[in-house]
Amino acid sequence: MGEADIADLFASFGPVRTRRLFGGLGLYADGVMFGLVIDARIYLKTDAAFAADLAAAGAEPFTYSRKDGRQVSVGYWSLPEPALDDGELAAALAHRALAIARAAGAPAAPRRSSRR
């Protein structure tokens, strides 16, 4: 899957920039990474609720094998098959992934000093 394919799929979402990452591509909107493309599959950033929704739609988690043979999951799930042919669905899922990515990268609220 190339950059032109990604732009077409997410046209309803808005501009998506790509950057080479881990032998694949990182997907960015407004400077925030919300997805990956690895081995021609699109994966979106998730939280527990979004991961459950994607799993119910037939999506699979992105995992990789460590040198010691353990499988590692990093909070990205594949774009469900129906979204690959439906730009509006792909856009809705991308918006949700972007919101999750923004929340994950949001700075912590300033602490109130206990000293007076």
Side-chain angles (χ1 to χ4, degrees):
M1 174 164 291
E3 292 180 31
D5 299 319
I6 292 165
D8 286 345
L9 179 62
F10 292 113
S12 295
F13 171 72
V16 173
R17 300 211 184 278
T18 61
R19 191 176 304 159
R20 296 246 174 250
L21 182 70
F22 308 123
L25 297 172
L27 302 179
Y28 293 81
D30 300 326
V32 177
M33 188 171 128
F34 70 94
L36 305 167
V37 179
I38 305 287
D39 296 328
R41 283 188 87 179
I42 297 173
Y43 296 89
L44 299 175
K45 176 77 173 156
T46 63
D47 59 13
F50 191 30
D53 291 346
L54 290 175
E60 298 175 350
F62 170 71
T63 61
Y64 66 92
S65 297
R66 292 177 45 149
K67 290 181 180 181
D68 63 8
R70 289 188 305 173
Q71 290 290 312
V72 178
S73 179
V74 292
Y76 286 82
W77 281 69
S78 64
L79 193 65
E81 285 291 322
L84 295 173
D85 296 321
D86 182 344
E88 294 299 320
L89 177 56
L93 296 173
H95 279 292
R96 193 164 171 192
L98 180 59
I100 290 165
R102 281 186 176 136
R111 289 186 167 191
R112 296 178 93 175
S113 175
S114 59
R115 289 200 248 154
R116 290 187 189 213

Coordinates of all heavy atoms in Angstrom, one line a residue, residues 24-106:
G24 N 8.1 0.2 7.7 CA 6.7 0.5 7.2 C 6.6 2.0 7.1 O 7.5 2.7 6.9
L25 N 5.4 2.4 7.4 CA 5.1 3.8 7.4 C 4.3 4.2 8.6 O 3.4 3.5 9.1 CB 4.2 4.2 6.2 CG 4.8 4.0 4.8 CD1 3.7 4.2 3.7 CD2 5.9 5.0 4.6
G26 N 4.6 5.4 9.2 CA 3.8 6.0 10.2 C 2.8 6.9 9.5 O 3.1 7.5 8.6
L27 N 1.5 6.9 10.0 CA 0.5 7.8 9.5 C 0.3 8.9 10.5 O 0.0 8.7 11.7 CB -0.8 7.0 9.3 CG -0.8 5.8 8.4 CD1 -2.2 5.1 8.4 CD2 -0.3 6.1 7.0
Y28 N 0.3 10.1 9.9 CA 0.2 11.4 10.8 C -0.8 12.3 10.3 O -1.0 12.4 9.1 CB 1.6 12.1 10.7 CG 2.7 11.4 11.3 CD1 3.4 10.4 10.6 CD2 3.1 11.7 12.6 CE1 4.5 9.7 11.2 CE2 4.2 11.0 13.2 CZ 4.9 10.0 12.5 OH 5.9 9.4 13.1
A29 N -1.5 12.9 11.2 CA -2.5 14.0 10.9 C -2.2 15.1 11.9 O -2.0 14.8 13.1 CB -3.9 13.5 11.0
D30 N -2.0 16.3 11.5 CA -1.7 17.4 12.4 C -0.5 17.2 13.2 O -0.5 17.6 14.4 CB -3.0 17.8 13.3 CG -4.2 18.2 12.4 OD1 -4.0 18.8 11.4 OD2 -5.3 17.8 12.9
G31 N 0.5 16.5 12.7 CA 1.7 16.2 13.4 C 1.6 15.1 14.5 O 2.6 14.8 15.2
V32 N 0.5 14.4 14.5 CA 0.3 13.3 15.5 C 0.2 12.0 14.8 O -0.6 11.8 13.8 CB -1.0 13.6 16.3 CG1 -1.3 12.4 17.3 CG2 -1.0 14.9 17.0
M33 N 1.0 11.0 15.3 CA 0.9 9.7 14.6 C -0.3 8.9 15.2 O -0.4 8.7 16.4 CB 2.2 8.9 14.9 CG 2.3 7.6 14.2 SD 3.9 6.8 14.4 CE 3.3 5.2 14.9
F34 N -1.2 8.5 14.3 CA -2.4 7.8 14.6 C -2.5 6.4 14.0 O -3.4 5.7 14.3 CB -3.6 8.6 14.3 CG -3.9 8.7 12.8 CD1 -4.7 7.7 12.1 CD2 -3.3 9.6 12.0 CE1 -4.9 7.8 10.8 CE2 -3.5 9.7 10.6 CZ -4.3 8.7 10.0
G35 N -1.5 6.1 13.2 CA -1.6 4.8 12.6 C -0.2 4.3 12.0 O 0.7 5.1 12.0
L36 N -0.2 3.1 11.5 CA 0.9 2.4 10.9 C 0.5 1.7 9.7 O -0.7 1.2 9.6 CB 1.5 1.4 11.8 CG 1.9 1.7 13.3 CD1 2.2 0.4 14.0 CD2 3.2 2.5 13.2
V37 N 1.4 1.6 8.7 CA 1.2 0.6 7.6 C 2.4 -0.3 7.7 O 3.6 0.1 7.5 CB 1.1 1.3 6.3 CG1 0.9 0.3 5.2 CG2 0.0 2.4 6.3
I38 N 2.1 -1.6 7.9 CA 3.2 -2.6 8.0 C 2.7 -3.8 7.1 O 1.6 -4.2 7.3 CB 3.4 -3.1 9.4 CG1 3.7 -2.0 10.4 CG2 4.5 -4.2 9.5 CD1 5.1 -1.4 10.2
D39 N 3.6 -4.2 6.2 CA 3.3 -5.3 5.3 C 1.9 -5.1 4.6 O 1.1 -6.0 4.6 CB 3.3 -6.6 6.1 CG 4.6 -7.0 6.6 OD1 5.6 -6.6 6.0 OD2 4.7 -7.6 7.7
A40 N 1.7 -3.9 4.1 CA 0.5 -3.5 3.4 C -0.8 -3.6 4.2 O -1.9 -3.6 3.6 CB 0.4 -4.4 2.1
R41 N -0.7 -3.6 5.5 CA -1.9 -3.5 6.4 C -1.8 -2.2 7.2 O -0.8 -1.8 7.7 CB -1.9 -4.7 7.4 CG -2.4 -6.0 6.7 CD -2.6 -7.1 7.8 NE -3.9 -7.0 8.3 CZ -4.4 -7.8 9.2 NH1 -3.6 -8.7 9.7 NH2 -5.6 -7.7 9.6
I42 N -3.0 -1.6 7.3 CA -3.1 -0.4 8.1 C -3.6 -0.8 9.5 O -4.5 -1.6 9.7 CB -4.2 0.5 7.4 CG1 -3.7 1.0 6.1 CG2 -4.5 1.7 8.3 CD1 -4.8 1.8 5.3
Y43 N -2.9 -0.2 10.5 CA -3.2 -0.3 11.9 C -3.4 1.0 12.5 O -2.7 2.0 12.2 CB -2.0 -1.0 12.6 CG -1.7 -2.4 12.1 CD1 -0.8 -2.6 11.1 CD2 -2.3 -3.5 12.7 CE1 -0.5 -3.9 10.6 CE2 -2.0 -4.8 12.3 CZ -1.1 -5.0 11.2 OH -0.8 -6.2 10.8
L44 N -4.4 1.1 13.4 CA -4.8 2.4 14.0 C -4.5 2.3 15.5 O -4.6 1.3 16.1 CB -6.3 2.7 13.8 CG -6.8 2.8 12.4 CD1 -8.3 3.0 12.3 CD2 -6.1 4.0 11.7
K45 N -4.1 3.5 16.1 CA -3.9 3.6 17.5 C -5.2 3.4 18.2 O -6.2 3.8 17.8 CB -3.3 5.0 17.8 CG -3.1 5.3 19.2 CD -1.9 4.7 19.7 CE -1.6 5.2 21.1 NZ -0.7 4.2 21.8
T46 N -5.1 2.6 19.3 CA -6.3 2.3 20.1 C -6.1 2.5 21.6 O -5.0 2.6 22.1 CB -6.7 0.8 19.9 OG1 -5.7 -0.1 20.4 CG2 -7.0 0.5 18.4
D47 N -7.2 2.5 22.2 CA -7.3 2.3 23.7 C -8.1 1.1 23.9 O -8.5 0.4 22.9 CB -7.9 3.6 24.4 CG -9.3 3.9 23.9 OD1 -10.0 3.0 23.2 OD2 -9.8 5.0 24.2
A48 N -8.4 0.7 25.1 CA -9.1 -0.6 25.4 C -10.5 -0.7 24.7 O -10.8 -1.7 24.1 CB -9.2 -0.8 26.9
A49 N -11.2 0.4 24.8 CA -12.6 0.4 24.2 C -12.6 0.3 22.7 O -13.3 -0.4 22.1 CB -13.4 1.6 24.7
F50 N -11.7 1.1 22.1 CA -11.6 1.1 20.6 C -11.0 -0.3 20.1 O -11.5 -0.8 19.1 CB -10.7 2.2 20.1 CG -10.7 2.5 18.7 CD1 -11.8 2.2 17.9 CD2 -9.6 3.0 18.0 CE1 -11.8 2.5 16.5 CE2 -9.6 3.3 16.7 CZ -10.7 3.0 15.9
A51 N -10.1 -0.8 20.9 CA -9.6 -2.2 20.5 C -10.7 -3.2 20.5 O -10.8 -4.0 19.6 CB -8.4 -2.6 21.4
A52 N -11.5 -3.1 21.5 CA -12.6 -4.1 21.6 C -13.6 -3.9 20.5 O -14.1 -4.9 19.9 CB -13.4 -3.9 23.0
D53 N -13.9 -2.7 20.1 CA -14.8 -2.4 18.9 C -14.2 -2.9 17.7 O -14.9 -3.5 16.8 CB -15.0 -0.9 18.8 CG -15.9 -0.3 19.9 OD1 -16.5 -1.1 20.7 OD2 -16.0 0.9 20.1
L54 N -12.9 -2.7 17.5 CA -12.2 -3.2 16.3 C -12.2 -4.7 16.2 O -12.4 -5.3 15.2 CB -10.8 -2.6 16.1 CG -10.7 -1.1 15.8 CD1 -9.3 -0.6 15.9 CD2 -11.4 -0.8 14.5
A55 N -11.9 -5.3 17.4 CA -11.9 -6.8 17.5 C -13.2 -7.3 17.1 O -13.3 -8.3 16.3 CB -11.5 -7.2 18.9
A56 N -14.3 -6.7 17.5 CA -15.7 -7.2 17.2 C -15.9 -7.0 15.7 O -16.8 -7.8 15.2 CB -16.7 -6.4 18.0
A57 N -15.2 -6.1 15.0 CA -15.4 -5.9 13.6 C -14.4 -6.8 12.8 O -14.4 -6.7 11.6 CB -15.2 -4.5 13.3
G58 N -13.7 -7.7 13.5 CA -12.8 -8.6 12.8 C -11.4 -8.1 12.7 O -10.6 -8.8 12.0
A59 N -11.0 -7.0 13.3 CA -9.6 -6.5 13.2 C -8.7 -7.4 14.1 O -9.2 -8.1 15.0 CB -9.6 -5.1 13.7
E60 N -7.4 -7.2 13.9 CA -6.4 -8.0 14.6 C -5.4 -7.0 15.1 O -5.1 -6.0 14.5 CB -5.7 -9.0 13.7 CG -6.7 -10.0 13.1 CD -6.0 -10.9 12.2 OE1 -4.8 -10.7 11.8 OE2 -6.6 -11.9 11.8
P61 N -4.8 -7.3 16.3 CA -3.7 -6.4 16.9 C -2.4 -6.5 16.1 O -2.1 -7.6 15.5 CB -3.5 -7.0 18.3 CG -3.9 -8.4 18.2 CD -5.0 -8.5 17.1
F62 N -1.7 -5.4 16.0 CA -0.4 -5.4 15.5 C 0.5 -6.0 16.5 O 0.6 -5.6 17.7 CB 0.1 -4.0 15.1 CG 1.6 -4.0 14.8 CD1 2.0 -4.5 13.6 CD2 2.5 -3.4 15.6 CE1 3.4 -4.5 13.2 CE2 3.8 -3.3 15.3 CZ 4.3 -3.9 14.1
T63 N 1.3 -7.0 16.2 CA 2.2 -7.6 17.1 C 3.5 -7.9 16.3 O 3.6 -7.9 15.1 CB 1.8 -9.0 17.6 OG1 1.6 -9.9 16.6 CG2 0.5 -8.9 18.4
Y64 N 4.6 -8.0 17.1 CA 5.9 -8.3 16.5 C 6.6 -9.3 17.5 O 6.3 -9.3 18.7 CB 6.7 -7.1 16.2 CG 7.2 -6.3 17.4 CD1 8.4 -6.5 18.0 CD2 6.4 -5.3 17.9 CE1 8.8 -5.8 19.1 CE2 6.8 -4.6 19.0 CZ 8.0 -4.8 19.6 OH 8.4 -4.1 20.7
S65 N 7.6 -10.0 16.9 CA 8.3 -10.9 17.7 C 9.6 -10.3 18.2 O 10.4 -9.7 17.4 CB 8.7 -12.2 16.9 OG 7.5 -12.8 16.6
R66 N 9.9 -10.4 19.5 CA 11.2 -10.0 20.0 C 12.2 -11.0 19.7 O 11.9 -12.1 19.4 CB 11.0 -9.7 21.5 CG 10.1 -8.6 21.9 CD 10.0 -8.4 23.3 NE 11.2 -8.5 24.0 CZ 11.5 -7.9 25.2 NH1 10.6 -7.1 25.7 NH2 12.7 -8.1 25.7
K67 N 13.5 -10.6 19.9 CA 14.6 -11.6 19.7 C 14.5 -12.8 20.6 O 14.9 -13.9 20.2 CB 15.9 -10.9 19.9 CG 16.2 -9.9 18.8 CD 17.6 -9.2 19.1 CE 17.8 -8.2 18.0 NZ 19.1 -7.6 18.1
D68 N 13.8 -12.7 21.7 CA 13.7 -13.8 22.6 C 12.5 -14.7 22.3 O 12.1 -15.6 23.0 CB 13.6 -13.4 24.1 CG 12.5 -12.5 24.4 OD1 11.5 -12.3 23.6 OD2 12.4 -12.0 25.5
G69 N 11.8 -14.3 21.2 CA 10.6 -15.1 20.7 C 9.3 -14.7 21.3 O 8.2 -15.1 20.8
R70 N 9.3 -13.8 22.2 CA 8.0 -13.3 22.8 C 7.3 -12.4 21.8 O 7.9 -11.6 21.1 CB 8.2 -12.6 24.1 CG 8.6 -13.5 25.2 CD 8.6 -12.7 26.5 NE 9.5 -11.6 26.4 CZ 9.6 -10.6 27.4 NH1 8.9 -10.7 28.5 NH2 10.4 -9.6 27.2
Q71 N 5.9 -12.5 21.8 CA 5.1 -11.6 20.9 C 4.8 -10.3 21.7 O 4.4 -10.4 22.9 CB 3.8 -12.3 20.5 CG 4.0 -13.4 19.5 CD 4.4 -12.9 18.2 OE1 3.8 -12.0 17.6 NE2 5.5 -13.5 17.6
V72 N 4.9 -9.2 21.1 CA 4.6 -7.9 21.8 C 3.5 -7.2 21.0 O 3.5 -7.2 19.8 CB 5.9 -7.0 21.8 CG1 5.6 -5.7 22.4 CG2 7.0 -7.7 22.5
S73 N 2.5 -6.7 21.7 CA 1.5 -5.9 21.1 C 1.6 -4.5 21.6 O 1.9 -4.3 22.8 CB 0.1 -6.5 21.6 OG -0.9 -5.7 21.1
V74 N 1.5 -3.5 20.7 CA 1.8 -2.1 21.1 C 0.6 -1.2 21.0 O 0.8 0.0 20.9 CB 2.9 -1.6 20.2 CG1 4.2 -2.3 20.6 CG2 2.7 -1.7 18.8
G75 N -0.6 -1.7 21.0 CA -1.8 -0.8 21.0 C -2.2 -0.3 19.7 O -2.9 0.8 19.6
Y76 N -2.0 -1.0 18.6 CA -2.5 -0.7 17.3 C -3.2 -1.9 16.8 O -2.7 -3.0 16.9 CB -1.3 -0.3 16.3 CG -0.7 1.0 16.6 CD1 0.3 1.2 17.6 CD2 -1.1 2.1 15.8 CE1 0.8 2.4 17.8 CE2 -0.5 3.3 16.1 CZ 0.4 3.5 17.1 OH 1.0 4.7 17.3
W77 N -4.4 -1.6 16.2 CA -5.2 -2.7 15.6 C -5.5 -2.4 14.1 O -5.6 -1.3 13.7 CB -6.5 -2.8 16.4 CG -6.4 -3.5 17.7 CD1 -5.7 -3.1 18.8 CD2 -6.9 -4.8 18.0 NE1 -5.8 -4.0 19.8 CE2 -6.6 -5.1 19.3 CE3 -7.7 -5.7 17.3 CZ2 -6.9 -6.3 19.9 CZ3 -8.1 -6.9 17.9 CH2 -7.7 -7.2 19.2
S78 N -5.6 -3.5 13.4 CA -5.8 -3.4 11.9 C -7.1 -2.7 11.6 O -8.1 -2.8 12.3 CB -5.7 -4.8 11.2 OG -6.8 -5.6 11.7
L79 N -7.1 -2.0 10.5 CA -8.3 -1.5 9.9 C -9.2 -2.6 9.5 O -8.8 -3.5 8.7 CB -8.0 -0.5 8.8 CG -9.0 0.4 8.2 CD1 -9.4 1.4 9.3 CD2 -8.5 1.1 7.0
P80 N -10.5 -2.7 9.9 CA -11.3 -3.8 9.5 C -11.6 -3.8 8.0 O -11.6 -2.7 7.4 CB -12.7 -3.5 10.2 CG -12.3 -2.6 11.3 CD -11.1 -1.8 10.9
E81 N -11.7 -5.0 7.4 CA -11.9 -5.1 6.0 C -12.9 -4.2 5.4 O -12.7 -3.6 4.3 CB -12.2 -6.6 5.7 CG -11.0 -7.5 5.8 CD -10.0 -7.3 4.7 OE1 -10.3 -7.0 3.5 OE2 -8.8 -7.4 5.0
P82 N -14.1 -4.1 6.0 CA -15.2 -3.2 5.4 C -14.7 -1.8 5.2 O -15.1 -1.1 4.3 CB -16.3 -3.3 6.3 CG -16.2 -4.6 7.1 CD -14.7 -4.8 7.2
A83 N -13.8 -1.3 6.1 CA -13.3 0.1 6.0 C -12.3 0.3 4.8 O -12.1 1.4 4.4 CB -12.6 0.5 7.3
L84 N -11.8 -0.8 4.3 CA -10.9 -0.7 3.2 C -11.6 -0.3 1.9 O -11.0 0.3 1.0 CB -10.1 -2.0 3.0 CG -9.1 -2.3 4.1 CD1 -8.6 -3.7 3.9 CD2 -8.0 -1.3 4.2
D85 N -12.9 -0.5 1.9 CA -13.7 -0.2 0.7 C -14.7 1.0 1.0 O -15.5 1.3 0.1 CB -14.5 -1.4 0.2 CG -13.6 -2.5 -0.3 OD1 -12.6 -2.2 -0.9 OD2 -13.9 -3.7 0.0
D86 N -14.6 1.5 2.2 CA -15.6 2.6 2.6 C -14.8 3.7 3.2 O -14.4 3.7 4.4 CB -16.6 1.9 3.6 CG -17.6 2.9 4.0 OD1 -17.5 4.1 3.9 OD2 -18.6 2.4 4.6
G87 N -14.6 4.7 2.4 CA -13.8 5.9 2.9 C -14.4 6.6 4.0 O -13.7 7.1 4.9
E88 N -15.7 6.6 4.1 CA -16.4 7.3 5.3 C -16.2 6.5 6.5 O -15.9 7.1 7.6 CB -17.9 7.5 5.0 CG -18.2 8.4 3.9 CD -17.8 9.8 4.1 OE1 -17.9 10.3 5.2 OE2 -17.3 10.4 3.1
L89 N -16.2 5.2 6.5 CA -16.0 4.4 7.7 C -14.5 4.5 8.0 O -14.2 4.7 9.2 CB -16.3 2.9 7.4 CG -16.0 1.9 8.5 CD1 -16.7 2.3 9.8 CD2 -16.4 0.5 8.1
A90 N -13.6 4.5 7.1 CA -12.2 4.6 7.3 C -11.9 5.9 8.0 O -11.1 6.0 8.9 CB -11.4 4.5 6.0
A91 N -12.6 7.0 7.5 CA -12.4 8.3 8.1 C -12.9 8.4 9.5 O -12.2 9.0 10.4 CB -13.1 9.4 7.3
A92 N -14.0 7.8 9.8 CA -14.6 7.8 11.2 C -13.6 7.1 12.1 O -13.4 7.5 13.2 CB -15.9 7.1 11.2
L93 N -13.1 5.9 11.7 CA -12.1 5.2 12.5 C -10.8 5.9 12.7 O -10.3 5.9 13.8 CB -11.9 3.8 11.9 CG -13.1 2.9 11.8 CD1 -12.8 1.6 11.1 CD2 -13.6 2.5 13.2
A94 N -10.4 6.6 11.7 CA -9.2 7.4 11.8 C -9.3 8.6 12.7 O -8.4 8.9 13.5 CB -8.7 7.9 10.4
H95 N -10.5 9.2 12.7 CA -10.8 10.3 13.7 C -10.7 9.8 15.1 O -10.1 10.5 16.0 CB -12.1 10.9 13.4 CG -12.1 11.9 12.3 ND1 -11.5 13.1 12.4 CD2 -12.7 11.9 11.1 CE1 -11.6 13.8 11.2 NE2 -12.4 13.1 10.4
R96 N -11.3 8.6 15.3 CA -11.2 8.0 16.7 C -9.8 7.7 17.1 O -9.4 8.0 18.2 CB -12.1 6.8 16.7 CG -12.4 6.3 18.1 CD -13.5 5.3 18.1 NE -13.6 4.7 19.4 CZ -14.4 3.6 19.7 NH1 -15.1 3.1 18.7 NH2 -14.4 3.1 20.9
A97 N -9.0 7.1 16.2 CA -7.6 6.8 16.5 C -6.8 8.1 16.7 O -6.0 8.1 17.6 CB -7.0 6.0 15.3
L98 N -7.1 9.2 16.0 CA -6.4 10.4 16.2 C -6.7 11.0 17.5 O -5.8 11.5 18.2 CB -6.7 11.4 15.0 CG -6.0 12.8 15.1 CD1 -4.5 12.6 15.1 CD2 -6.5 13.7 14.0
A99 N -7.9 10.9 17.9 CA -8.3 11.5 19.3 C -7.6 10.7 20.4 O -7.1 11.3 21.3 CB -9.8 11.4 19.4
I100 N -7.5 9.4 20.2 CA -6.8 8.5 21.2 C -5.3 8.9 21.2 O -4.7 9.0 22.3 CB -7.1 7.0 20.9 CG1 -8.5 6.7 21.2 CG2 -6.1 6.1 21.7 CD1 -9.0 5.4 20.6
A101 N -4.7 9.0 20.0 CA -3.3 9.4 19.9 C -3.0 10.7 20.6 O -2.0 10.9 21.3 CB -2.8 9.3 18.5
R102 N -3.9 11.7 20.3 CA -3.7 13.0 21.0 C -3.8 12.9 22.5 O -3.0 13.5 23.2 CB -4.8 14.0 20.4 CG -4.5 14.5 19.1 CD -5.5 15.6 18.7 NE -5.2 16.2 17.5 CZ -6.0 16.4 16.5 NH1 -7.3 16.1 16.6 NH2 -5.6 17.0 15.4
A103 N -4.8 12.2 23.0 CA -5.0 12.0 24.4 C -3.7 11.3 25.0 O -3.3 11.7 26.1 CB -6.2 11.2 24.7
A104 N -3.2 10.3 24.3 CA -2.0 9.6 24.9 C -0.8 10.5 24.9 O 0.0 10.3 25.8 CB -1.8 8.4 24.0
G105 N -0.7 11.4 24.0 CA 0.4 12.3 23.9 C 0.2 13.7 24.6 O 1.1 14.5 24.7
A106 N -0.9 13.9 25.2 CA -1.2 15.1 25.9 C -0.4 15.3 27.1 O -0.2 14.3 27.8 CB -2.7 15.2 26.2

